[in-house]
Amino acid sequence: MVITIYPKLQFTYTRFFSGQSCYKTSLNREAKIMQPGFFNHLLLISLFELKRAFATRKGMLSLITFAVVWYFILLYPLRFAAELLVQEKGLKQDFGFLDFIGFGSIQHWSIPEFGVFWHFALIIFPMLSITLAADQTSSDRERGTLRFIVMRSSRDRVFFGRFAGVMVIQALLIGATAFSTFAMALYRDATLLSSALPNLLVLIVNLILVVLPFTAMMAALSAQVKSARQATVWAILIWTFMTGIISGFAYYLPALAFLKLLIPGYQLSELTQLSGWQTLQLAYIPVLQGLILLAFGRWIMARQAL
Amino acid sequence: MKSPIIQCQQLNHVYSDKPALCNVNFELDAGDPIGLVGPNGAGKTTLLSILSGFLRPTSGTVRLFGHPPGTAQLNGKVSALPQDARLDPSFTLTEQLFFYARLQGMTGQQATLEASRVLEEFALKDAAHEKPPVLSHGMAKRAAIAQALIGNPSLVLLDEPTAGLDPVNVRTVRAVIAEQSSTTTFIISSHDLTELDRLCRQILLLENGSLQTEKIRTDEQQTASRFITLQMEACPALEVIAKLKVLYGVLQVTNPQKNEFIVEYNPDLQPNMDQQLMQTIHTNHWQYRQLSHGKSLEEKLFFRDGNGTKN
């Protein structure tokens, strides 16, 4: 019901001069404006996230830190390990030690640098994902900025747009690190170019799939908690307890072993034993996990007060 | 037939067992700015949050232009200034407003022009390339209001738009609202009743989560008498009351606040009461500050017995 204030201020005597406002507007209501579709918004929102990562001070600082850390990984552990493997291959020594520490599959990679990179990347990128993707919506929601965006889009578009943006950022980082390893291998032996390119593609595709469920998990957590730090802490706690509980159940009731499929990164230990195109055999696991976690995250986002 | 822009039916919202809105029903048509008033905790922000799609009601239905709040169909049609919402500290004002305009479907060129236009309207052109952390509270608030006006939406929901602004900026905001109200319907939640009195002809009064209508309706039905509010410079209140009471047509004179007098009169007996009051002021060498027809919004809403006591 509307309450109408009855007419007032038909005229007013006042001693104060009330100057006229001089604001001018160029209202362009007539201008043709097309309503953007779902994918258009997805693109705009993910591009804005790319801008945040690559064109803001905070983003640049994170990137420089990552680049420095990666430079030292590349320069020392990765290069030395690869050189060692090359030497040992030449000497036809056995790889019993590498088998013992779980790095035996390195010998199956035709380019040792990629073998070593593969093992490093399987540890580094999921961890990076938990921190890099932790703030997809949480701080914007706490600050109220998300309200400005949701008024012009929808919760689904913001949720998936942010997720897509973070995935692209990670894909670029994965690509950059893989290319730097590729360059290092070519520097050692330029004739490896033709054989290295397919392996490079396999590595990049695989690593993007590896970070997919972790990023989706962080998207869901970010939609629920109040800060990136909380999202990271919850991710570690949930992952640890989930792994412990499901592994415990599976030990006593082997029929429940399939529940391990729900643990992000469950396939990582098996992936380390594979090389080349074989690594894509397990691609269905992260894809499935990613879809389930995204559906869960979308459900949270739709119900969350902004 | 003109359909309402907002329809709320049996709207309820509960925060962990504490009711914030109770069976709120109303329909609003496009037109002049509409005020939303009520004491702290009355449910104003909850109502605006539900209308904006930030909050899902516990029960009841809401439709804006026939669509549920927060749906893509309302993109560009409905906009809001949420209470205490801040812009992203990592990007400049222009970058953010450009992004919002793009989300509303504008091309890059249109978005640039529109971001520039709204910033200029709120005298923020010099701060266009600044990031929110370096802005003053007033500038940040104006920037937040500016974003709400991108693309000239049909409905703008403003939650406390002038809170914390200095008088100059309050006037800026008021001027922009007044200017755009011919094409945009504003719903303004505010504790500043003087401000609402100037801008709005319709008021929604929320108290304890419920829309209060009965008391105001009773007031509206009192068509037999009229009111004039007289604000004086320092004056002998008792003498003023005594001298005004004896004027022809005056029914009652009250003194709700220091130097403020409300004169209730019968317009059939004395249609030119304002001139009679001016004459009395002049004769007695009193100094007046302002004389206005009707009671102030504060009086209408909260002090309706005319004696300065709250109903």
Side-chain angles (χ1 to χ4, degrees):
Chain A
M1 268 164 268
V2 179
I3 301 159
T4 305
I5 302 298
Y6 49 92
K8 56 186 172 57
L9 295 178
Q10 286 155 2
F11 55 87
T12 301
Y13 296 102
T14 176
R15 284 194 171 173
F16 294 126
F17 172 71
S18 64
Q20 285 201 326
S21 63
C22 57
Y23 298 95
K24 44 181 186 181
T25 52
S26 56
L27 307 182
N28 54 352
R29 215 179 255 284
E30 299 77 20
K32 183 87 174 166
I33 292 172
M34 297 287 287
Q35 281 299 316
F38 184 85
F39 290 104
N40 189 285
H41 267 183
L42 231 58
L43 184 69
L44 284 169
I45 293 168
S46 50
L47 282 175
F48 202 66
E49 289 312 293
L50 283 178
K51 194 173 178 184
R52 187 193 305 279
F54 296 107
T56 64
R57 197 177 297 168
K58 195 179 165 190
M60 288 299 289
L61 201 65
S62 304
L63 280 180
I64 290 168
T65 309
F66 177 79
V68 169
V69 171
W70 182 252
Y71 173 76
F72 284 110
I73 289 174
L74 192 70
L75 199 65
Y76 297 106
L78 214 147
R79 185 166 63 98
F80 288 151
E83 280 176 2
L84 190 70
L85 278 167
V86 172
Q87 284 169 11
E88 285 185 345
K89 264 189 177 177
L91 294 170
K92 299 200 182 304
Q93 288 185 353
D94 66 27
F95 290 85
F97 175 68
L98 288 174
D99 285 331
F100 177 71
I101 62 166
F103 277 40
S105 66
I106 288 178
Q107 62 190 297
H108 304 308
W109 287 84
S110 57
I111 297 160
E113 282 85 353
F114 281 165
V116 180
F117 170 78
W118 176 235
H119 281 76
F120 269 107
L122 285 179
I123 299 163
I124 290 170
F125 283 106
M127 283 167 57
L128 182 74
S129 190
I130 286 175
T131 52
L132 192 83
D135 195 12
Q136 291 180 52
T137 51
S138 54
S139 61
D140 268 5
R141 193 179 62 254
E142 283 305 295
R143 201 191 303 114
T145 313
L146 215 53
R147 297 178 185 181
F148 296 134
I149 302 169
V150 164
M151 284 300 301
R152 302 169 162 91
S153 189
S154 69
R155 294 180 184 223
D156 276 357
R157 293 174 186 197
V158 173
F159 179 77
F160 289 112
R162 290 276 170 102
F163 169 78
V166 176
M167 279 305 295
V168 172
I169 293 165
Q170 289 179 105
L172 290 171
L173 293 180
I174 288 167
T177 53
F179 267 101
S180 63
T181 310
F182 173 69
M184 196 172 72
L186 290 187
Y187 181 73
R188 179 175 59 79
D189 184 356
T191 61
L192 294 172
L193 179 66
S194 58
S195 60
L197 275 173
N199 276 325
L200 179 71
L201 188 66
V202 168
L203 280 173
I204 292 173
V205 171
N206 250 304
L207 286 172
I208 291 171
L209 288 173
V210 164
V211 298
L212 179 77
F214 288 96
T215 312
M217 177 174 71
M218 298 317 291
L221 281 170
S222 186
Q224 177 64 41
V225 302
K226 292 184 174 178
S227 68
R229 186 178 293 179
Q230 275 189 19
T232 305
V233 170
W234 275 109
I236 293 167
L237 287 176
I238 289 170
W239 191 86
T240 308
F241 282 105
M242 204 171 149
T243 308
I245 290 166
I246 291 176
S247 300
F249 274 123
Y251 180 77
Y252 291 106
L253 292 165
L256 296 177
F258 75 92
L259 287 176
K260 286 184 178 177
L261 284 171
L262 295 174
I263 305 168
Y266 156 71
Q267 83 286 9
L268 291 185
S269 58
E270 288 181 54
L271 269 179
T272 54
Q273 304 307 314
L274 301 173
S275 61
W277 291 104
Q278 292 174 330
T279 50
L280 287 173
Q281 286 172 4
L282 301 173
Y284 73 95
I285 297 175
V287 171
L288 198 67
Q289 290 172 341
L291 290 175
I292 292 170
L293 286 164
L294 281 177
F296 182 56
R298 179 184 176 270
W299 181 80
I300 295 172
M301 185 77 173
R303 276 149 190 80
Q304 187 68 276
L306 299 179
Chain B
M1 187 182 150
K2 201 167 98 172
S3 57
I5 57 170
I6 299 179
Q7 290 171 294
C8 287
Q9 289 175 341
Q10 294 295 312
L11 201 59
N12 287 282
H13 192 75
V14 178
Y15 290 110
S16 43
D17 296 336
K18 187 180 177 296
L21 291 178
C22 308
N23 290 323
V24 173
N25 292 289
F26 67 91
E27 288 187 352
L28 293 176
D29 294 321
D32 289 328
I34 298 153
L36 178 60
V37 296
N40 290 330
K44 302 186 297 295
T45 297
T46 302
L47 179 59
L48 286 184
S49 295
I50 290 172
L51 293 176
S52 307
F54 306 146
L55 198 61
R56 289 158 60 97
T58 307
S59 65
T61 56
V62 186
R63 290 286 181 276
L64 306 182
F65 299 99
H67 301 286
T71 49
Q73 287 90 338
L74 298 175
N75 180 8
K77 263 186 148 178
V78 181
S79 192
L81 166 72
Q83 194 181 38
D84 300 329
R86 286 169 291 143
L87 292 165
D88 195 324
S90 303
F91 297 96
T92 65
L93 294 185
T94 300
E95 284 171 329
Q96 295 188 64
L97 299 189
F98 175 84
F99 173 54
Y100 297 157
R102 293 281 283 137
L103 286 177
Q104 285 180 215
M106 293 183 199
T107 63
Q109 196 180 10
Q110 284 173 330
T112 306
L113 289 172
E114 187 65 359
S116 176
R117 178 186 75 82
V118 291
L119 286 174
E120 194 173 353
E121 276 206 55
F122 288 94
L124 285 168
K125 198 143 194 191
D126 292 340
H129 299 289
E130 300 287 356
K131 289 179 182 171
V134 303
L135 302 179
S136 68
H137 172 78
M139 290 166 91
K141 186 93 181 186
R142 279 183 283 145
I145 303 172
Q147 67 75 35
L149 299 180
I150 291 174
N152 301 308
S154 305
L155 173 65
V156 177
L157 310 163
L158 300 173
D159 198 353
E160 299 282 357
T162 54
L165 292 183
D166 61 47
V168 176
N169 286 316
V170 168
R171 180 174 278 204
T172 305
V173 172
R174 190 194 312 143
V176 174
I177 291 173
E179 186 161 319
Q180 284 208 206
S181 60
S182 58
T183 51
T184 300
T185 303
F186 288 90
I187 296 186
I188 306 162
S189 162
S190 179
H191 288 295
D192 188 344
L193 298 179
T194 314
E195 197 59 46
L196 291 180
D197 210 7
R198 290 180 179 183
L199 286 168
C200 307
R201 295 180 71 84
Q202 287 185 322
I203 293 291
L204 290 173
L205 172 61
L206 269 175
E207 271 180 356
N208 297 320
S210 303
L211 268 184
Q212 303 298 310
T213 57
E214 297 308 316
K215 289 186 285 186
I216 300 280
R217 282 182 160 185
T218 308
D219 212 31
E220 283 182 289
Q221 286 162 1
Q222 292 175 353
T223 50
S225 60
R226 294 271 170 86
F227 296 89
I228 285 178
T229 301
L230 184 60
Q231 287 181 345
M232 305 288 288
E233 297 289 358
C235 64
L238 290 175
E239 187 190 337
V240 171
I241 292 172
K243 289 195 171 168
L244 295 183
K245 262 185 177 174
V246 298
L247 294 176
Y248 182 64
V250 170
L251 301 172
Q252 192 182 12
V253 179
T254 54
N255 181 206
Q257 294 184 72
K258 191 180 178 189
N259 297 333
E260 184 178 298
F261 302 88
I262 296 175
V263 180
E264 185 179 359
Y265 68 100
N266 186 336
D268 295 331
L269 295 178
Q270 178 51 281
N272 300 320
M273 180 57 75
D274 46 6
Q275 291 172 26
Q276 194 178 349
L277 287 174
M278 292 298 288
Q279 185 61 45
T280 309
I281 289 167
H282 179 73
T283 311
N284 289 281
H285 305 290
W286 296 330
Q287 297 293 310
Y288 78 98
R289 188 184 288 262
Q290 185 171 305
L291 185 150
S292 54
H293 276 260
K295 288 202 278 190
S296 68
L297 188 55
E298 185 180 292
E299 288 293 327
K300 284 173 195 162
L301 293 174
F302 301 115
F303 304 96
R304 254 159 293 135
D305 59 1
N307 296 319
T309 53
K310 193 176 176 180
N311 284 343

